């Protein structure tokens, strides 16, 4: 697995292309070299190297399929972004409408409160003004009747004069 050079420093040259890391770990004593995988009776180093190679192949295939699906993923991402923007704008419009409706409802409620407060005041004013109005009506009725009689008399005289001019 490892070769020694003339200056006694180990030179790492893997026995297989994918096994450099495995050879380093084995040289450092982290992995015993004589172990076998009991299930398939293959040395651990070969099983681990095979697993590592299979993992690389699976990752490469996954990356390739992901690259092929990239436009579809981008379309889906764009769809969700558009949907999010539309949802945000609709929510803002609804909030504005609710606020305006709330404002109108608050205004109606305040008007009803004011009306409730002013109703007793209006009743009180009407009660105070009713005798005054009746008194004024009693004083003005003779004057109005007299004025009406004078106007009728003036109108009759005017009609009589108009008839005498027409004859």
């Amino acid at each position: 697995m490892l070769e020694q050079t003339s200056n006694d420093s180990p030179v790492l040259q893997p026995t297989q292309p994918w096994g450099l890391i495995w050879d380093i770990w084995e040289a450092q004593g982290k992995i015993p070299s004589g172990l076998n995988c009991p299930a398939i009776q293959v040395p651990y180093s070969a099983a681990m190297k095979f697993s590592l190679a299979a993992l690389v192949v699976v990752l490469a295939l996954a990356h390739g399929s992901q690259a092929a699906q990239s436009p579809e993923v981008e379309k889906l991402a764009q769809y969700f972004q558009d949907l999010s923007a539309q949802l945000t704008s609709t929510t803002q419009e609804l909030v504005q409408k609710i606020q305006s409706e709330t404002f109108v409802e608050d205004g109606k409620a305040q008007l009803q409160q004011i009306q409730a407060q002013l109703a007793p005041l209006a009743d009180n004013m009407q009660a105070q003004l009713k005798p005054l109005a009746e008194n004024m009506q009693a004083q003005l009725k003779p004057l109005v009747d007299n004025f009406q009689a004078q106007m009728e008399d003036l109108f009759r005289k005017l009609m009589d004069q108009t008839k005498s001019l027409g004859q």
Side-chain angles (χ1 to χ4, degrees):
M1 290 188 195
L2 295 176
E3 292 181 14
Q4 295 287 337
T5 59
S6 61
N7 59 2
D8 288 340
S9 65
V11 175
L12 298 178
Q13 291 186 350
T15 56
Q16 296 178 9
W18 63 83
L20 179 61
I21 295 173
W22 186 263
D23 290 342
I24 292 172
W25 286 347
E26 200 172 44
Q28 293 174 349
K30 293 182 179 178
I31 302 172
S33 62
L35 293 178
N36 290 333
C37 179
I40 55 175
Q41 295 299 322
V42 177
Y44 270 116
S45 62
M48 292 300 287
K49 290 176 184 178
F50 176 76
S51 297
L52 184 61
L55 179 64
V56 168
V57 169
V58 168
L59 288 175
L61 288 174
H63 180 69
S65 66
Q66 183 181 12
Q69 293 175 355
S70 182
E72 294 168 357
V73 171
E74 288 177 14
K75 287 179 184 177
L76 189 59
Q78 183 63 38
Y79 172 75
F80 281 119
Q81 287 175 352
D82 294 344
L83 188 62
S84 175
Q86 185 179 9
L87 183 62
T88 301
S89 67
T90 303
T91 303
Q92 289 174 350
E93 290 173 8
L94 284 175
V95 166
Q96 290 174 350
K97 286 181 182 179
I98 289 172
Q99 286 176 346
S100 66
E101 288 176 8
T102 304
F103 181 71
V104 170
E105 289 175 5
D106 289 345
K108 286 180 182 178
Q110 288 178 357
L111 286 175
Q112 289 174 351
Q113 289 176 353
I114 292 171
Q115 185 180 11
Q117 290 173 355
L118 291 179
L121 182 62
D123 291 341
N124 186 18
M125 288 180 71
Q126 185 178 5
Q128 290 177 1
L129 291 176
K130 189 174 184 178
L132 180 62
E134 289 173 353
N135 187 17
M136 287 181 71
Q137 187 178 9
Q139 289 177 2
L140 290 176
K141 181 154 175 78
L143 292 174
V144 171
D145 290 343
N146 186 19
F147 180 74
Q148 187 176 1
Q150 287 178 3
M151 291 306 285
E152 286 176 1
D153 188 40
L154 182 64
F155 185 66
R156 265 188 241 126
K157 286 181 185 178
L158 186 62
M159 289 299 286
D160 290 339
Q161 288 178 359
T162 306
K163 285 182 186 178
S164 63
L165 287 175
Q167 295 178 349

